[in-house]
Amino acid sequence: PSVQDLVGKRILITGGGTREPLDPVRFIGNRSSGKQAVALAERALRRGANVTFIGAHLEVAAPSGVTLQEVSTAAEMQDAVMRLRNSMDIVIMAAAVSDFRAEDVSENKLKKDVTSEHLHLTLVKNPDILVELVKTKPQSQIIMGFAAETGEPGKSVLELGQAKIARKGCDFLVLNQVGWDQGFGTERNVVTVLDSTGDILSEVSGSKLAVADKVLDTFA
Ligand code: C5P
């Protein structure tokens, strides 16, 4: 029997990966499955929370018991988040939101130019929903971001996470090492929870359900 330590808490969780259309049949997307966010929703429900879930192209079903809103693009995710966020005690932005979208979405299917070996796409930046949430949040609301990092030359995943929470200004950041065969889409996860100063609060590896429980302990 798990503790009912989130009774009465209203939690908004986003999960999955947004898709940006190029034309009526193609999109730019990412490999987020939504499994970690769905696990968070399951455990939050179990612990007594009232959970609203915004899902983008989930590969697993959201738990029954959440209020579910499905979206596709980053713009739709932004609309849904901004509409639902006001009454929430906690917002967890676990979704992998596309950083860019196509500048022009073709009305008709793009045709290949048979004389060229290249196709050039122009992408424009999407608004950062997390940053917008933080800037305009109700006073007592707690906002948690996620960061999926692969590391980069000269910078550890931890350093990247610390820079990210400083830039985004959220209360907590769940740092997730991802790679070709790690993090996205898998059954297990390895995460580090950082506080707003970039200090490590907890480190946990295990099933996505076990990771979800440990992450939710942050709020308890
Ligand atoms: O900058 P990056 O995409 O790595 O940041 C990840 C965090 O920011 C996640 O919590 C994600 O949900 C959020 N995000 C967002 N809007 C974007 C891009 C990311 O809210 N356009």
Side-chain angles (χ1 to χ4, degrees):
S2 65
V3 277
Q4 294 272 299
D5 54 0
L6 295 172
V7 172
K9 296 294 170 205
R10 289 155 302 177
I11 307 187
L12 177 63
I13 301 175
T14 69
T18 61
R19 290 180 182 176
E20 302 301 323
L22 299 176
D23 69 17
V25 297
R26 303 190 182 93
F27 60 84
I28 298 177
N30 60 70
R31 296 199 295 108
S32 174
S33 63
K35 283 178 188 167
Q36 185 62 71
V38 165
L40 280 163
E42 265 173 43
R43 302 312 296 183
L45 280 175
R46 181 77 71 87
R47 289 162 72 155
N50 184 321
V51 180
T52 300
F53 195 93
I54 304 174
H57 304 284
L58 301 173
E59 283 174 24
V60 290
S64 58
V66 302
T67 302
L68 177 65
Q69 162 106 46
E70 290 183 286
V71 298
S72 182
T73 63
E76 288 169 18
M77 171 76 70
Q78 181 184 25
D79 286 348
V81 169
M82 296 321 281
R83 187 163 42 78
L84 295 166
R85 52 78 78 97
N86 275 329
S87 56
M88 299 293 161
D89 299 302
I90 296 169
V91 180
I92 304 178
M93 281 294 300
V97 183
S98 313
D99 292 320
F100 292 90
R101 65 179 182 279
E103 186 166 55
D104 299 304
V105 179
S106 176
E107 273 298 309
N108 303 306
K109 191 181 163 198
L110 291 165
K111 293 291 176 212
K112 60 176 163 273
D113 175 353
V114 289
T115 61
S116 173
E117 289 303 312
H118 296 92
L119 168 68
H120 296 280
L121 293 171
T122 303
L123 305 180
V124 291
K125 229 183 212 157
N126 279 328
D128 192 312
I129 305 167
L130 180 57
V131 167
E132 192 182 337
L133 276 175
V134 168
K135 273 197 199 140
T136 58
K137 75 166 188 166
Q139 208 172 23
S140 61
Q141 190 176 73
I142 299 174
I143 300 178
M144 173 179 270
F146 267 64
E149 302 287 357
T150 59
E152 56 184 60
K155 287 216 181 87
S156 70
V157 166
L158 180 60
E159 287 170 318
L160 291 170
Q162 287 167 332
K164 188 157 288 181
I165 196 161
R167 193 167 68 245
K168 302 231 182 196
C170 48
D171 300 294
F172 301 105
L173 188 78
V174 178
L175 185 57
N176 197 356
Q177 172 131 19
V178 296
W180 292 106
D181 57 359
Q182 199 179 185
F184 279 3
T186 60
E187 299 308 321
R188 296 173 63 77
N189 213 358
V190 183
V191 308
T192 304
V193 182
L194 303 182
D195 70 12
S196 58
T197 68
D199 283 344
I200 295 176
L201 283 181
S202 55
E203 288 176 286
V204 56
S205 64
S207 71
K208 287 188 171 176
L209 277 177
V211 168
D213 257 327
K214 189 76 184 178
V215 167
L216 292 172
D217 287 345
T218 310
F219 308 114

PDB file of all heavy atoms in Angstrom, residues 180-214:
ATOM      1  N   TRP A 180      21.000   6.744 -28.297  1.00  0.00           N
ATOM      2  CA  TRP A 180      20.373   5.905 -29.319  1.00  0.00           C
ATOM      3  C   TRP A 180      19.578   4.770 -28.692  1.00  0.00           C
ATOM      4  O   TRP A 180      18.560   4.353 -29.205  1.00  0.00           O
ATOM      5  CB  TRP A 180      21.426   5.344 -30.265  1.00  0.00           C
ATOM      6  CG  TRP A 180      22.058   6.401 -31.105  1.00  0.00           C
ATOM      7  CD1 TRP A 180      23.315   6.928 -30.959  1.00  0.00           C
ATOM      8  CD2 TRP A 180      21.462   7.085 -32.215  1.00  0.00           C
ATOM      9  NE1 TRP A 180      23.527   7.901 -31.905  1.00  0.00           N
ATOM     10  CE2 TRP A 180      22.419   8.007 -32.692  1.00  0.00           C
ATOM     11  CE3 TRP A 180      20.227   7.013 -32.851  1.00  0.00           C
ATOM     12  CZ2 TRP A 180      22.165   8.857 -33.777  1.00  0.00           C
ATOM     13  CZ3 TRP A 180      19.986   7.845 -33.923  1.00  0.00           C
ATOM     14  CH2 TRP A 180      20.940   8.753 -34.383  1.00  0.00           C
ATOM     15  N   ASP A 181      20.087   4.217 -27.567  1.00  0.00           N
ATOM     16  CA  ASP A 181      19.417   3.056 -26.971  1.00  0.00           C
ATOM     17  C   ASP A 181      19.121   3.304 -25.492  1.00  0.00           C
ATOM     18  O   ASP A 181      19.026   2.386 -24.704  1.00  0.00           O
ATOM     19  CB  ASP A 181      20.292   1.801 -27.136  1.00  0.00           C
ATOM     20  CG  ASP A 181      21.664   2.008 -26.519  1.00  0.00           C
ATOM     21  OD1 ASP A 181      21.943   3.116 -25.991  1.00  0.00           O
ATOM     22  OD2 ASP A 181      22.471   1.065 -26.552  1.00  0.00           O
ATOM     23  N   GLN A 182      18.979   4.541 -25.111  1.00  0.00           N
ATOM     24  CA  GLN A 182      18.851   4.866 -23.696  1.00  0.00           C
ATOM     25  C   GLN A 182      17.810   5.967 -23.474  1.00  0.00           C
ATOM     26  O   GLN A 182      17.788   6.947 -24.218  1.00  0.00           O
ATOM     27  CB  GLN A 182      20.219   5.387 -23.215  1.00  0.00           C
ATOM     28  CG  GLN A 182      20.377   5.332 -21.736  1.00  0.00           C
ATOM     29  CD  GLN A 182      21.739   5.826 -21.256  1.00  0.00           C
ATOM     30  OE1 GLN A 182      22.000   5.731 -20.107  1.00  0.00           O
ATOM     31  NE2 GLN A 182      22.582   6.376 -22.098  1.00  0.00           N
ATOM     32  N   GLY A 183      16.972   5.779 -22.461  1.00  0.00           N
ATOM     33  CA  GLY A 183      16.026   6.841 -22.095  1.00  0.00           C
ATOM     34  C   GLY A 183      14.733   6.793 -22.886  1.00  0.00           C
ATOM     35  O   GLY A 183      13.738   6.252 -22.418  1.00  0.00           O
ATOM     36  N   PHE A 184      14.739   7.334 -24.091  1.00  0.00           N
ATOM     37  CA  PHE A 184      13.517   7.403 -24.892  1.00  0.00           C
ATOM     38  C   PHE A 184      13.059   6.010 -25.331  1.00  0.00           C
ATOM     39  O   PHE A 184      13.814   5.280 -25.976  1.00  0.00           O
ATOM     40  CB  PHE A 184      13.749   8.256 -26.150  1.00  0.00           C
ATOM     41  CG  PHE A 184      13.655   9.742 -25.896  1.00  0.00           C
ATOM     42  CD1 PHE A 184      13.444  10.253 -24.631  1.00  0.00           C
ATOM     43  CD2 PHE A 184      13.766  10.632 -26.948  1.00  0.00           C
ATOM     44  CE1 PHE A 184      13.347  11.624 -24.410  1.00  0.00           C
ATOM     45  CE2 PHE A 184      13.672  12.006 -26.740  1.00  0.00           C
ATOM     46  CZ  PHE A 184      13.467  12.496 -25.467  1.00  0.00           C
ATOM     47  N   GLY A 185      11.834   5.671 -24.991  1.00  0.00           N
ATOM     48  CA  GLY A 185      11.235   4.441 -25.480  1.00  0.00           C
ATOM     49  C   GLY A 185      11.569   3.202 -24.661  1.00  0.00           C
ATOM     50  O   GLY A 185      10.944   2.167 -24.829  1.00  0.00           O
ATOM     51  N   THR A 186      12.527   3.294 -23.748  1.00  0.00           N
ATOM     52  CA  THR A 186      12.948   2.109 -23.001  1.00  0.00           C
ATOM     53  C   THR A 186      12.059   1.906 -21.762  1.00  0.00           C
ATOM     54  O   THR A 186      11.278   2.774 -21.397  1.00  0.00           O
ATOM     55  CB  THR A 186      14.415   2.247 -22.548  1.00  0.00           C
ATOM     56  OG1 THR A 186      14.512   3.407 -21.720  1.00  0.00           O
ATOM     57  CG2 THR A 186      15.341   2.403 -23.743  1.00  0.00           C
ATOM     58  N   GLU A 187      12.218   0.749 -21.104  1.00  0.00           N
ATOM     59  CA  GLU A 187      11.403   0.433 -19.919  1.00  0.00           C
ATOM     60  C   GLU A 187      12.019   0.979 -18.642  1.00  0.00           C
ATOM     61  O   GLU A 187      11.339   1.186 -17.648  1.00  0.00           O
ATOM     62  CB  GLU A 187      11.212  -1.083 -19.775  1.00  0.00           C
ATOM     63  CG  GLU A 187      10.487  -1.749 -20.937  1.00  0.00           C
ATOM     64  CD  GLU A 187       9.158  -1.086 -21.289  1.00  0.00           C
ATOM     65  OE1 GLU A 187       8.425  -0.675 -20.358  1.00  0.00           O
ATOM     66  OE2 GLU A 187       8.889  -0.928 -22.490  1.00  0.00           O
ATOM     67  N   ARG A 188      13.333   1.170 -18.667  1.00  0.00           N
ATOM     68  CA  ARG A 188      14.025   1.653 -17.465  1.00  0.00           C
ATOM     69  C   ARG A 188      14.545   3.059 -17.702  1.00  0.00           C
ATOM     70  O   ARG A 188      14.609   3.532 -18.831  1.00  0.00           O
ATOM     71  CB  ARG A 188      15.188   0.718 -17.121  1.00  0.00           C
ATOM     72  CG  ARG A 188      14.735  -0.681 -16.760  1.00  0.00           C
ATOM     73  CD  ARG A 188      15.920  -1.608 -16.607  1.00  0.00           C
ATOM     74  NE  ARG A 188      16.812  -1.195 -15.512  1.00  0.00           N
ATOM     75  CZ  ARG A 188      16.537  -1.397 -14.233  1.00  0.00           C
ATOM     76  NH1 ARG A 188      15.409  -1.991 -13.881  1.00  0.00           N
ATOM     77  NH2 ARG A 188      17.374  -1.020 -13.307  1.00  0.00           N
ATOM     78  N   ASN A 189      14.921   3.700 -16.631  1.00  0.00           N
ATOM     79  CA  ASN A 189      15.405   5.070 -16.768  1.00  0.00           C
ATOM     80  C   ASN A 189      16.442   5.358 -15.691  1.00  0.00           C
ATOM     81  O   ASN A 189      16.455   4.709 -14.640  1.00  0.00           O
ATOM     82  CB  ASN A 189      14.230   6.050 -16.652  1.00  0.00           C
ATOM     83  CG  ASN A 189      14.421   7.284 -17.519  1.00  0.00           C
ATOM     84  OD1 ASN A 189      15.449   7.435 -18.177  1.00  0.00           O
ATOM     85  ND2 ASN A 189      13.436   8.150 -17.513  1.00  0.00           N
ATOM     86  N   VAL A 190      17.289   6.320 -15.950  1.00  0.00           N
ATOM     87  CA  VAL A 190      18.281   6.787 -14.984  1.00  0.00           C
ATOM     88  C   VAL A 190      18.161   8.299 -14.938  1.00  0.00           C
ATOM     89  O   VAL A 190      18.333   8.949 -15.973  1.00  0.00           O
ATOM     90  CB  VAL A 190      19.721   6.409 -15.435  1.00  0.00           C
ATOM     91  CG1 VAL A 190      20.736   6.847 -14.385  1.00  0.00           C
ATOM     92  CG2 VAL A 190      19.824   4.916 -15.711  1.00  0.00           C
ATOM     93  N   VAL A 191      17.789   8.841 -13.785  1.00  0.00           N
ATOM     94  CA  VAL A 191      17.591  10.294 -13.718  1.00  0.00           C
ATOM     95  C   VAL A 191      18.250  10.905 -12.482  1.00  0.00           C
ATOM     96  O   VAL A 191      18.503  10.225 -11.487  1.00  0.00           O
ATOM     97  CB  VAL A 191      16.086  10.699 -13.721  1.00  0.00           C
ATOM     98  CG1 VAL A 191      15.333  10.069 -14.871  1.00  0.00           C
ATOM     99  CG2 VAL A 191      15.423  10.393 -12.390  1.00  0.00           C
ATOM    100  N   THR A 192      18.499  12.195 -12.562  1.00  0.00           N
ATOM    101  CA  THR A 192      18.996  12.999 -11.453  1.00  0.00           C
ATOM    102  C   THR A 192      18.026  14.162 -11.290  1.00  0.00           C
ATOM    103  O   THR A 192      17.686  14.816 -12.271  1.00  0.00           O
ATOM    104  CB  THR A 192      20.402  13.549 -11.778  1.00  0.00           C
ATOM    105  OG1 THR A 192      21.254  12.445 -12.086  1.00  0.00           O
ATOM    106  CG2 THR A 192      20.983  14.313 -10.612  1.00  0.00           C
ATOM    107  N   VAL A 193      17.559  14.380 -10.061  1.00  0.00           N
ATOM    108  CA  VAL A 193      16.663  15.519  -9.814  1.00  0.00           C
ATOM    109  C   VAL A 193      17.499  16.668  -9.245  1.00  0.00           C
ATOM    110  O   VAL A 193      18.211  16.493  -8.250  1.00  0.00           O
ATOM    111  CB  VAL A 193      15.527  15.158  -8.828  1.00  0.00           C
ATOM    112  CG1 VAL A 193      14.584  16.348  -8.642  1.00  0.00           C
ATOM    113  CG2 VAL A 193      14.754  13.938  -9.314  1.00  0.00           C
ATOM    114  N   LEU A 194      17.415  17.830  -9.904  1.00  0.00           N
ATOM    115  CA  LEU A 194      18.152  19.020  -9.459  1.00  0.00           C
ATOM    116  C   LEU A 194      17.174  20.029  -8.859  1.00  0.00           C
ATOM    117  O   LEU A 194      16.032  20.138  -9.317  1.00  0.00           O
ATOM    118  CB  LEU A 194      18.855  19.693 -10.639  1.00  0.00           C
ATOM    119  CG  LEU A 194      19.839  18.853 -11.458  1.00  0.00           C
ATOM    120  CD1 LEU A 194      20.461  19.709 -12.557  1.00  0.00           C
ATOM    121  CD2 LEU A 194      20.920  18.257 -10.571  1.00  0.00           C
ATOM    122  N   ASP A 195      17.644  20.778  -7.851  1.00  0.00           N
ATOM    123  CA  ASP A 195      16.814  21.878  -7.363  1.00  0.00           C
ATOM    124  C   ASP A 195      17.143  23.142  -8.162  1.00  0.00           C
ATOM    125  O   ASP A 195      17.980  23.104  -9.080  1.00  0.00           O
ATOM    126  CB  ASP A 195      16.982  22.070  -5.849  1.00  0.00           C
ATOM    127  CG  ASP A 195      18.348  22.611  -5.464  1.00  0.00           C
ATOM    128  OD1 ASP A 195      19.099  23.064  -6.349  1.00  0.00           O
ATOM    129  OD2 ASP A 195      18.658  22.581  -4.256  1.00  0.00           O
ATOM    130  N   SER A 196      16.487  24.252  -7.810  1.00  0.00           N
ATOM    131  CA  SER A 196      16.601  25.444  -8.659  1.00  0.00           C
ATOM    132  C   SER A 196      18.014  26.027  -8.676  1.00  0.00           C
ATOM    133  O   SER A 196      18.356  26.796  -9.565  1.00  0.00           O
ATOM    134  CB  SER A 196      15.592  26.503  -8.211  1.00  0.00           C
ATOM    135  OG  SER A 196      15.841  26.823  -6.865  1.00  0.00           O
ATOM    136  N   THR A 197      18.839  25.650  -7.706  1.00  0.00           N
ATOM    137  CA  THR A 197      20.216  26.144  -7.714  1.00  0.00           C
ATOM    138  C   THR A 197      21.154  25.197  -8.460  1.00  0.00           C
ATOM    139  O   THR A 197      22.345  25.464  -8.577  1.00  0.00           O
ATOM    140  CB  THR A 197      20.754  26.325  -6.272  1.00  0.00           C
ATOM    141  OG1 THR A 197      20.880  25.024  -5.674  1.00  0.00           O
ATOM    142  CG2 THR A 197      19.834  27.180  -5.429  1.00  0.00           C
ATOM    143  N   GLY A 198      20.620  24.077  -8.929  1.00  0.00           N
ATOM    144  CA  GLY A 198      21.450  23.116  -9.655  1.00  0.00           C
ATOM    145  C   GLY A 198      22.047  22.036  -8.766  1.00  0.00           C
ATOM    146  O   GLY A 198      22.801  21.188  -9.236  1.00  0.00           O
ATOM    147  N   ASP A 199      21.706  22.079  -7.461  1.00  0.00           N
ATOM    148  CA  ASP A 199      22.196  21.024  -6.561  1.00  0.00           C
ATOM    149  C   ASP A 199      21.419  19.727  -6.776  1.00  0.00           C
ATOM    150  O   ASP A 199      20.231  19.761  -7.097  1.00  0.00           O
ATOM    151  CB  ASP A 199      22.044  21.454  -5.096  1.00  0.00           C
ATOM    152  CG  ASP A 199      23.114  22.447  -4.674  1.00  0.00           C
ATOM    153  OD1 ASP A 199      24.132  22.557  -5.399  1.00  0.00           O
ATOM    154  OD2 ASP A 199      22.917  23.124  -3.647  1.00  0.00           O
ATOM    155  N   ILE A 200      22.095  18.608  -6.562  1.00  0.00           N
ATOM    156  CA  ILE A 200      21.459  17.297  -6.747  1.00  0.00           C
ATOM    157  C   ILE A 200      20.595  16.965  -5.530  1.00  0.00           C
ATOM    158  O   ILE A 200      21.072  16.957  -4.395  1.00  0.00           O
ATOM    159  CB  ILE A 200      22.529  16.200  -6.945  1.00  0.00           C
ATOM    160  CG1 ILE A 200      23.288  16.447  -8.255  1.00  0.00           C
ATOM    161  CG2 ILE A 200      21.883  14.820  -6.937  1.00  0.00           C
ATOM    162  CD1 ILE A 200      24.430  15.472  -8.506  1.00  0.00           C
ATOM    163  N   LEU A 201      19.297  16.711  -5.764  1.00  0.00           N
ATOM    164  CA  LEU A 201      18.383  16.310  -4.693  1.00  0.00           C
ATOM    165  C   LEU A 201      18.313  14.801  -4.570  1.00  0.00           C
ATOM    166  O   LEU A 201      18.223  14.252  -3.484  1.00  0.00           O
ATOM    167  CB  LEU A 201      16.969  16.827  -4.974  1.00  0.00           C
ATOM    168  CG  LEU A 201      16.671  18.290  -4.723  1.00  0.00           C
ATOM    169  CD1 LEU A 201      15.216  18.569  -5.046  1.00  0.00           C
ATOM    170  CD2 LEU A 201      16.976  18.644  -3.269  1.00  0.00           C
ATOM    171  N   SER A 202      18.271  14.119  -5.707  1.00  0.00           N
ATOM    172  CA  SER A 202      18.232  12.660  -5.679  1.00  0.00           C
ATOM    173  C   SER A 202      18.707  12.104  -7.012  1.00  0.00           C
ATOM    174  O   SER A 202      18.647  12.784  -8.036  1.00  0.00           O
ATOM    175  CB  SER A 202      16.813  12.161  -5.364  1.00  0.00           C
ATOM    176  OG  SER A 202      15.888  12.701  -6.280  1.00  0.00           O
ATOM    177  N   GLU A 203      19.180  10.877  -6.945  1.00  0.00           N
ATOM    178  CA  GLU A 203      19.581  10.168  -8.161  1.00  0.00           C
ATOM    179  C   GLU A 203      18.905   8.819  -8.104  1.00  0.00           C
ATOM    180  O   GLU A 203      18.928   8.162  -7.056  1.00  0.00           O
ATOM    181  CB  GLU A 203      21.096   9.973  -8.195  1.00  0.00           C
ATOM    182  CG  GLU A 203      21.858  11.254  -8.466  1.00  0.00           C
ATOM    183  CD  GLU A 203      23.364  11.053  -8.392  1.00  0.00           C
ATOM    184  OE1 GLU A 203      23.879  10.909  -7.279  1.00  0.00           O
ATOM    185  OE2 GLU A 203      23.993  11.024  -9.456  1.00  0.00           O
ATOM    186  N   VAL A 204      18.282   8.408  -9.179  1.00  0.00           N
ATOM    187  CA  VAL A 204      17.564   7.135  -9.141  1.00  0.00           C
ATOM    188  C   VAL A 204      17.622   6.447 -10.504  1.00  0.00           C
ATOM    189  O   VAL A 204      17.560   7.088 -11.552  1.00  0.00           O
ATOM    190  CB  VAL A 204      16.098   7.337  -8.669  1.00  0.00           C
ATOM    191  CG1 VAL A 204      15.381   8.340  -9.529  1.00  0.00           C
ATOM    192  CG2 VAL A 204      15.334   6.020  -8.661  1.00  0.00           C
ATOM    193  N   SER A 205      17.796   5.124 -10.431  1.00  0.00           N
ATOM    194  CA  SER A 205      17.696   4.337 -11.660  1.00  0.00           C
ATOM    195  C   SER A 205      16.782   3.166 -11.373  1.00  0.00           C
ATOM    196  O   SER A 205      16.699   2.682 -10.244  1.00  0.00           O
ATOM    197  CB  SER A 205      19.072   3.846 -12.102  1.00  0.00           C
ATOM    198  OG  SER A 205      19.583   2.974 -11.136  1.00  0.00           O
ATOM    199  N   GLY A 206      16.039   2.745 -12.367  1.00  0.00           N
ATOM    200  CA  GLY A 206      15.134   1.620 -12.181  1.00  0.00           C
ATOM    201  C   GLY A 206      14.034   1.670 -13.206  1.00  0.00           C
ATOM    202  O   GLY A 206      14.156   2.354 -14.237  1.00  0.00           O
ATOM    203  N   SER A 207      12.954   0.964 -12.926  1.00  0.00           N
ATOM    204  CA  SER A 207      11.813   0.986 -13.838  1.00  0.00           C
ATOM    205  C   SER A 207      11.260   2.406 -13.869  1.00  0.00           C
ATOM    206  O   SER A 207      11.489   3.201 -12.950  1.00  0.00           O
ATOM    207  CB  SER A 207      10.730   0.035 -13.339  1.00  0.00           C
ATOM    208  OG  SER A 207      10.134   0.565 -12.172  1.00  0.00           O
ATOM    209  N   LYS A 208      10.521   2.730 -14.917  1.00  0.00           N
ATOM    210  CA  LYS A 208       9.973   4.078 -15.004  1.00  0.00           C
ATOM    211  C   LYS A 208       8.965   4.341 -13.881  1.00  0.00           C
ATOM    212  O   LYS A 208       8.807   5.481 -13.437  1.00  0.00           O
ATOM    213  CB  LYS A 208       9.407   4.331 -16.403  1.00  0.00           C
ATOM    214  CG  LYS A 208      10.556   4.500 -17.417  1.00  0.00           C
ATOM    215  CD  LYS A 208      10.171   4.938 -18.801  1.00  0.00           C
ATOM    216  CE  LYS A 208      11.450   5.266 -19.603  1.00  0.00           C
ATOM    217  NZ  LYS A 208      11.221   5.614 -21.005  1.00  0.00           N
ATOM    218  N   LEU A 209       8.315   3.279 -13.356  1.00  0.00           N
ATOM    219  CA  LEU A 209       7.414   3.453 -12.206  1.00  0.00           C
ATOM    220  C   LEU A 209       8.199   3.798 -10.950  1.00  0.00           C
ATOM    221  O   LEU A 209       7.809   4.681 -10.177  1.00  0.00           O
ATOM    222  CB  LEU A 209       6.591   2.181 -11.964  1.00  0.00           C
ATOM    223  CG  LEU A 209       5.328   1.997 -12.809  1.00  0.00           C
ATOM    224  CD1 LEU A 209       4.678   0.657 -12.484  1.00  0.00           C
ATOM    225  CD2 LEU A 209       4.325   3.136 -12.606  1.00  0.00           C
ATOM    226  N   ALA A 210       9.324   3.102 -10.740  1.00  0.00           N
ATOM    227  CA  ALA A 210      10.155   3.377  -9.562  1.00  0.00           C
ATOM    228  C   ALA A 210      10.725   4.788  -9.642  1.00  0.00           C
ATOM    229  O   ALA A 210      10.757   5.527  -8.650  1.00  0.00           O
ATOM    230  CB  ALA A 210      11.282   2.349  -9.450  1.00  0.00           C
ATOM    231  N   VAL A 211      11.163   5.169 -10.853  1.00  0.00           N
ATOM    232  CA  VAL A 211      11.696   6.522 -11.052  1.00  0.00           C
ATOM    233  C   VAL A 211      10.595   7.552 -10.788  1.00  0.00           C
ATOM    234  O   VAL A 211      10.819   8.581 -10.153  1.00  0.00           O
ATOM    235  CB  VAL A 211      12.282   6.673 -12.480  1.00  0.00           C
ATOM    236  CG1 VAL A 211      12.568   8.131 -12.816  1.00  0.00           C
ATOM    237  CG2 VAL A 211      13.556   5.833 -12.607  1.00  0.00           C
ATOM    238  N   ALA A 212       9.376   7.245 -11.245  1.00  0.00           N
ATOM    239  CA  ALA A 212       8.246   8.163 -11.041  1.00  0.00           C
ATOM    240  C   ALA A 212       8.019   8.414  -9.555  1.00  0.00           C
ATOM    241  O   ALA A 212       7.845   9.562  -9.123  1.00  0.00           O
ATOM    242  CB  ALA A 212       6.979   7.592 -11.680  1.00  0.00           C
ATOM    243  N   ASP A 213       8.038   7.351  -8.753  1.00  0.00           N
ATOM    244  CA  ASP A 213       7.795   7.504  -7.319  1.00  0.00           C
ATOM    245  C   ASP A 213       8.857   8.380  -6.671  1.00  0.00           C
ATOM    246  O   ASP A 213       8.549   9.256  -5.865  1.00  0.00           O
ATOM    247  CB  ASP A 213       7.760   6.133  -6.640  1.00  0.00           C
ATOM    248  CG  ASP A 213       6.327   5.724  -6.332  1.00  0.00           C
ATOM    249  OD1 ASP A 213       5.495   6.623  -6.031  1.00  0.00           O
ATOM    250  OD2 ASP A 213       6.031   4.528  -6.399  1.00  0.00           O
ATOM    251  N   LYS A 214      10.093   8.144  -7.050  1.00  0.00           N
ATOM    252  CA  LYS A 214      11.199   8.925  -6.471  1.00  0.00           C
ATOM    253  C   LYS A 214      11.082  10.398  -6.888  1.00  0.00           C
ATOM    254  O   LYS A 214      11.305  11.305  -6.071  1.00  0.00           O
ATOM    255  CB  LYS A 214      12.529   8.328  -6.942  1.00  0.00           C
ATOM    256  CG  LYS A 214      13.737   8.893  -6.259  1.00  0.00           C
ATOM    257  CD  LYS A 214      13.905   8.339  -4.855  1.00  0.00           C
ATOM    258  CE  LYS A 214      15.094   9.023  -4.172  1.00  0.00           C
ATOM    259  NZ  LYS A 214      15.268   8.568  -2.796  1.00  0.00           N
TER     260      LYS A 214
END
